[in-house]
Amino acid sequence: MLAYLVIREGSKWTDVFRLIPGQAVTVGRAPTNQLVVKDERCSRTHAEIFFSRRQWTLRDLDSRNGTLVGGKLVRGDYVLKPGDVIRIGQSQLAFVHDLSKAFVDTGAPRTQEAEPEDGSSSAATSDSIGGDSEILDPPTITHRRGHTRFLRNAGDEEAGTPRVGKAAANLCRLAFELAQATDEMAMAQMALAGLFEGTQIDAGAVLLLVRQKNPEQNGPVLEVVASRTDTESKYHRVSTFLADMVLREGEAVLARNVMGDSNLGSRDSKGEITATTVICAPVRQGTSKAFGLIHLYSTREDRVPDPDDLEFTLAVADTLAVALRNFSRRQELADNLNQIRDENLQLRELLGAQSEIVGESPLMVQASQAIARAAPSRATVLIRGESGVGKELVARAVHYASPRAKKPFVCLNCAALSESLLESELFGHEKGAFTGATERKIGKFEAAHTGTLMLDEIGEMSPSIQAKFLRVLEGHAFERVGGSEPIKVDVRVIAATNRDLEKDVTNGKFRRDLYFRLHVLEIVVPALRKRPEDIPLLANHFLRKFNSETGRKIRGFTPRAMDQMRRYRWPGNVRELKNVVERAVVLTRGEYVDVEDLTLSTLSTAGDTAEGTMAQREYRPMSLEEVERMHILATLRSTGWNKSQSAGILGIERSTLDRKIRRYELAPERPRK
């Protein structure tokens, strides 16, 4: 069945995506999706469209903002009908069957239909997209402005503006500035600057309540956060009477003729104190609980605050209170976030749930690309590679990049258990099923329901378990050991092995049908000796890790040590490198790891052959020329025929290596078809 998704951008339909039966299509913001929607409201993997039971079905993949069809939120699976418009954020995807009837001259997909004989307009057919209610014309822009004049100083040019309007503009600008402040002192200074600009005062301060250090001390303790004065005299604190009254009653006051404090008030020619006008406003939470106050006063007869100044001061105090509360909440959220990140990192390390893959070599780039392609699918994945290359790490990366990332990830090593124990671990058992089964146990398949099950060393599974495992992979229900209740699960299986499964199938050690069921998507993890350029990255990564764990401060590796690690064959791959670095961190006495601190084995690698291994146990007579030929060929194979790197390992010039290649008629092996 032919089907298409027509994509709308702005006011025009701009692109068409063909849907092919048997190929599921994921829609999302991530570049790994088949259909990428560049919309901030679209999740990384937002939705999926697949062909099932001869119908195209839409499924939302737990997206943050949801998927809509016809204005209704999609819950579960939705069977698409021709003409449906899928809305993801601000983007629209129209589903049609007949593409030739979906477009008209206007550029919007519509089904062309003959007009009825009475001249009335006909209704859209089944392929018409959305109807008039779905497709909206873009708005007409009449004005544009990059900056508002309400967030800059009014200045003298707006002297004719009413005082209330100026106050409102000042409050708007002040609220904008407070929202960008980075600490309490900066907020208090901004508030004072706005008050000095908008009221008739010459001194003032912002004071906040602090915890009492002395429990026996009575009354609140106010701390000056910021103060300012336009006179030669310094700022003088608010009187205890006014402070207690404002904090207790939660109301702003304007007081004149304040004579109780000899520090306030102006002095006449005889040195006597004249009257002072004071404004005191609470910085409060809601309308009652105050946690600070703004104290302003004027000692000049030509600048006397009035009730309008009191109104403005109270508005600034309330605005400052909101800004301080929001700042406190941001700080609290930031502290909690840092704590959660630290705890999450510790838990991930304890559980071994790290999904970072270290490596920049071309082979690792290919492996990462294979992971990105395999992750969105539901197909079974087979991971192949030698022991110690990090197959479980790759499996975790596939899981955490898939739509099942928030679901369980369960791992089981098939080589570590006997046949009976492996069956119990996979499928579970009932109480009394065998000796020692004292209670019911849930198997790994049930534990991984809706998630991912990773089976390591799948080639070690016995033939009888292979048959039961294949049946579950085919979608059939299973029963616990000793039970009769059928159990059906939704699990994605990732299998890993270091064996040659094709050879095992030929020898009858592995089921042919199970091999083809597992070999849907394959990811090959290269051995460490095949990507020597990644050795420094991995070594430094493990050095930082073990420095952090042990408290050591080792600064790095000496050039001799790094050269030794580059030339070493690493039969144990990344696992061996990790152990070597850990041992060196513990034993080294200097600031740098040297060759003497590296404990390297003399074992041959799994990929070595008699031709490439010079340290053979059995002696075979051969000429020096034959030995040289085999050694050069083995070196070229280990570097992937990188001649410059091979010449460096052999200690000869590149031109000398080229002559020896021609002399011995060496050539890369052709890939097997």
Side-chain angles (χ1 to χ4, degrees):
M1 294 181 63
L2 294 179
Y4 304 89
L5 289 177
V6 189
I7 306 169
R8 182 181 179 89
E9 294 181 359
S11 61
K12 294 183 178 180
W13 299 91
T14 59
D15 201 359
V16 176
F17 186 89
R18 182 180 177 183
L19 300 174
I20 301 175
Q23 296 183 8
V25 177
T26 58
V27 184
R29 185 161 42 87
T32 55
N33 294 285
Q34 287 85 356
L35 188 54
V36 179
V37 176
K38 297 180 179 179
D39 192 320
E40 289 300 326
R41 297 187 61 187
C42 179
S43 300
R44 291 183 59 83
T45 306
H46 195 101
E48 181 183 26
I49 300 174
F50 56 93
F51 192 72
S52 176
R53 297 180 180 178
R54 302 188 59 79
Q55 292 178 318
W56 286 100
T57 304
L58 170 68
R59 175 182 294 166
D60 184 84
L61 300 177
D62 296 330
S63 62
R64 176 174 297 181
N65 296 308
T67 305
L68 287 81
V69 177
K72 295 182 179 179
L73 194 64
V74 173
R75 300 186 183 278
D77 291 351
Y78 176 85
V79 178
L80 291 171
K81 300 179 293 295
D84 281 343
V85 175
I86 306 168
R87 289 183 178 271
I88 298 177
Q90 300 297 325
S91 305
Q92 300 178 39
L93 311 173
F95 175 79
V96 295
H97 279 168
D98 191 349
L99 191 61
S100 63
K101 298 180 180 180
F103 292 93
V104 294
D105 294 338
T106 59
R110 295 269 184 190
T111 301
Q112 296 179 354
E113 182 179 357
E115 295 185 358
E117 296 180 358
D118 58 2
S120 61
S121 61
S122 63
T125 67
S126 60
D127 265 7
S128 64
I129 299 178
D132 294 336
S133 61
E134 289 288 341
I135 306 304
L136 303 176
D137 292 332
T140 301
I141 307 300
T142 59
H143 297 80
R144 292 182 180 271
R145 185 175 295 275
H147 303 281
T148 173
R149 61 187 176 88
F150 294 117
L151 297 182
R152 63 173 186 265
N153 288 326
D156 297 335
E157 69 276 5
E158 297 186 9
T161 305
R163 186 175 181 184
V164 175
K166 289 183 178 180
N170 288 339
L171 278 175
C172 178
R173 185 179 69 254
L174 179 60
F176 179 76
E177 293 172 349
L178 289 174
Q180 302 179 79
T182 56
D183 55 61
E184 292 181 349
M185 182 177 291
M187 292 181 182
Q189 291 172 346
M190 289 177 183
L192 285 178
L195 289 166
F196 271 71
E197 180 183 345
T199 60
Q200 304 180 75
I201 48 102
D202 52 36
V206 175
L207 303 92
L208 297 179
L209 285 173
V210 295
R211 292 183 178 181
Q212 298 181 7
K213 297 181 180 179
N214 184 5
E216 298 179 357
Q217 184 177 358
N218 296 324
V221 178
L222 288 167
E223 181 182 37
V224 177
V225 180
S227 62
R228 175 176 169 179
T229 177
D230 286 349
T231 62
E232 295 180 358
S233 60
K234 63 180 182 179
Y235 164 75
H236 298 287
R237 289 178 64 96
V238 61
S239 67
T240 304
F241 172 78
L242 274 179
D244 290 345
M245 180 179 65
V246 171
L247 291 174
R248 181 178 64 253
E249 299 179 2
E251 292 182 343
V253 298
L254 172 64
R256 301 186 187 278
N257 302 322
V258 178
M259 302 293 293
D261 192 339
S262 60
N263 292 324
L264 295 180
S266 59
R267 299 175 183 271
D268 57 15
S269 59
K270 297 180 180 181
E272 296 180 354
I273 300 174
T274 61
T276 302
T277 304
V278 174
I279 293 178
C280 199
V283 179
R284 57 196 177 184
Q285 184 175 354
T287 58
S288 57
K289 187 178 180 180
F291 58 90
L293 55 84
I294 293 177
H295 174 226
L296 309 172
Y297 61 85
S298 174
T299 57
R300 294 169 51 182
E301 295 181 356
D302 57 335
R303 291 179 63 84
V304 180
D306 55 23
D308 288 339
D309 293 328
L310 178 66
E311 291 275 359
F312 183 73
T313 303
L314 183 58
V316 171
D318 288 343
T319 304
L320 176 62
V322 173
L324 288 172
R325 287 201 304 272
N326 291 340
F327 174 75
S328 177
R329 289 171 182 169
R330 289 199 304 270
Q331 289 291 100
E332 183 179 355
L333 288 174
D335 294 341
N336 292 340
L337 181 60
N338 290 332
Q339 181 180 357
I340 291 172
R341 283 175 176 171
D342 293 340
E343 293 176 353
N344 186 39
L345 181 61
Q346 294 173 4
L347 288 174
R348 288 174 68 87
E349 290 178 350
L350 289 175
L351 297 173
Q354 298 177 352
S355 60
E356 296 181 357
I357 297 178
V358 179
E360 298 177 354
S361 62
L363 292 176
M364 286 308 298
V365 171
Q366 293 177 9
S368 299
Q369 292 173 349
I371 291 171
R373 290 192 296 268
S377 172
R378 297 183 177 185
T380 305
V381 179
L382 179 62
I383 302 175
R384 312 182 81 156
E386 296 177 8
S387 178
V389 295
K391 296 187 288 294
E392 183 177 344
L393 200 66
V394 172
R396 291 185 184 276
V398 172
H399 171 73
Y400 288 121
S402 72
R404 299 172 180 251
K406 298 180 181 179
K407 305 300 181 181
F409 177 83
V410 180
C411 185
L412 178 65
N413 191 321
C414 300
L417 302 170
S418 63
E419 179 178 342
S420 58
L421 285 178
L422 180 58
E423 182 180 10
S424 174
E425 286 291 326
L426 282 175
F427 309 114
H429 62 253
E430 297 289 348
K431 181 178 179 180
F434 50 84
T435 302
T438 57
E439 59 184 12
R440 171 187 286 183
K441 179 179 179 180
I442 300 299
K444 299 301 184 184
F445 268 107
E446 289 183 80
H449 180 55
T450 70
T452 303
L453 174 61
M454 189 252 182
L455 296 177
D456 199 5
E457 305 299 346
I458 191 72
E460 305 296 332
M461 189 179 289
S462 65
S464 60
I465 302 297
Q466 290 179 28
K468 297 179 181 179
F469 177 53
L470 175 61
R471 182 172 176 81
V472 179
L473 281 183
E474 295 291 348
H476 297 286
F478 64 92
E479 298 172 355
R480 300 189 188 99
V481 177
S484 57
E485 178 185 356
I487 302 170
K488 193 166 184 176
V489 293
D490 174 21
V491 174
R492 182 185 190 181
V493 173
I494 299 178
T497 184
N498 61 356
R499 296 174 61 99
D500 187 348
L501 291 184
E502 290 83 356
K503 184 178 179 181
D504 288 346
V505 170
T506 303
N507 296 334
K509 296 180 180 180
F510 200 81
R511 292 180 63 99
R512 181 181 297 270
D513 47 4
L514 178 57
Y515 168 76
F516 288 116
R517 186 63 182 82
L518 292 174
H519 197 257
V520 179
L521 298 174
E522 183 180 76
I523 299 176
V524 178
V525 186
L528 185 56
R529 65 181 178 277
K530 295 183 179 180
R531 48 185 183 110
E533 55 267 51
D534 289 336
I535 292 176
L537 296 176
L538 287 163
N540 288 308
H541 169 75
F542 292 131
L543 180 65
R544 290 191 297 269
K545 171 183 173 63
F546 295 122
N547 269 342
S548 176
E549 291 182 0
T550 61
R552 300 293 301 274
K553 296 183 179 179
I554 298 175
R555 302 175 63 178
F557 299 87
T558 64
R560 292 174 58 228
M562 187 59 70
D563 182 63
Q564 179 75 6
M565 288 191 293
R566 283 177 179 272
R567 290 188 288 107
Y568 182 57
R569 297 278 291 171
W570 298 108
N573 290 295
V574 181
R575 183 187 292 119
E576 182 185 5
L577 174 60
K578 177 182 177 182
N579 295 333
V580 167
V581 174
E582 183 178 12
R583 187 184 301 111
V585 169
V586 174
L587 299 179
T588 186
R589 297 181 179 180
E591 293 184 348
Y592 292 88
V593 176
D594 206 347
V595 175
E596 292 76 13
D597 303 315
L598 302 176
T599 306
L600 305 178
S601 71
T602 57
L603 298 174
S604 62
T605 62
D608 284 338
T609 62
E611 186 180 38
T613 305
M614 304 308 299
Q616 301 181 40
R617 295 184 178 181
E618 297 182 1
Y619 169 76
R620 181 169 65 89
M622 64 179 68
S623 65
L624 288 176
E625 185 175 278
E626 187 177 0
V627 172
E628 183 182 55
R629 179 186 181 279
M630 288 193 303
H631 184 60
I632 292 175
L633 180 59
T635 305
L636 288 168
R637 286 175 176 173
S638 68
T639 61
W641 275 80
N642 187 322
K643 295 182 180 179
S644 298
Q645 188 176 348
S646 298
I649 294 174
L650 295 170
I652 59 177
E653 296 293 330
R654 166 71 182 271
S655 58
T656 303
L657 178 61
D658 288 332
R659 287 197 302 272
K660 290 182 180 294
I661 291 174
R662 290 193 298 270
R663 175 184 175 184
Y664 296 129
E665 298 180 351
L666 303 178
E669 295 179 355
R670 295 181 179 180
R672 284 180 282 178
K673 296 182 179 179

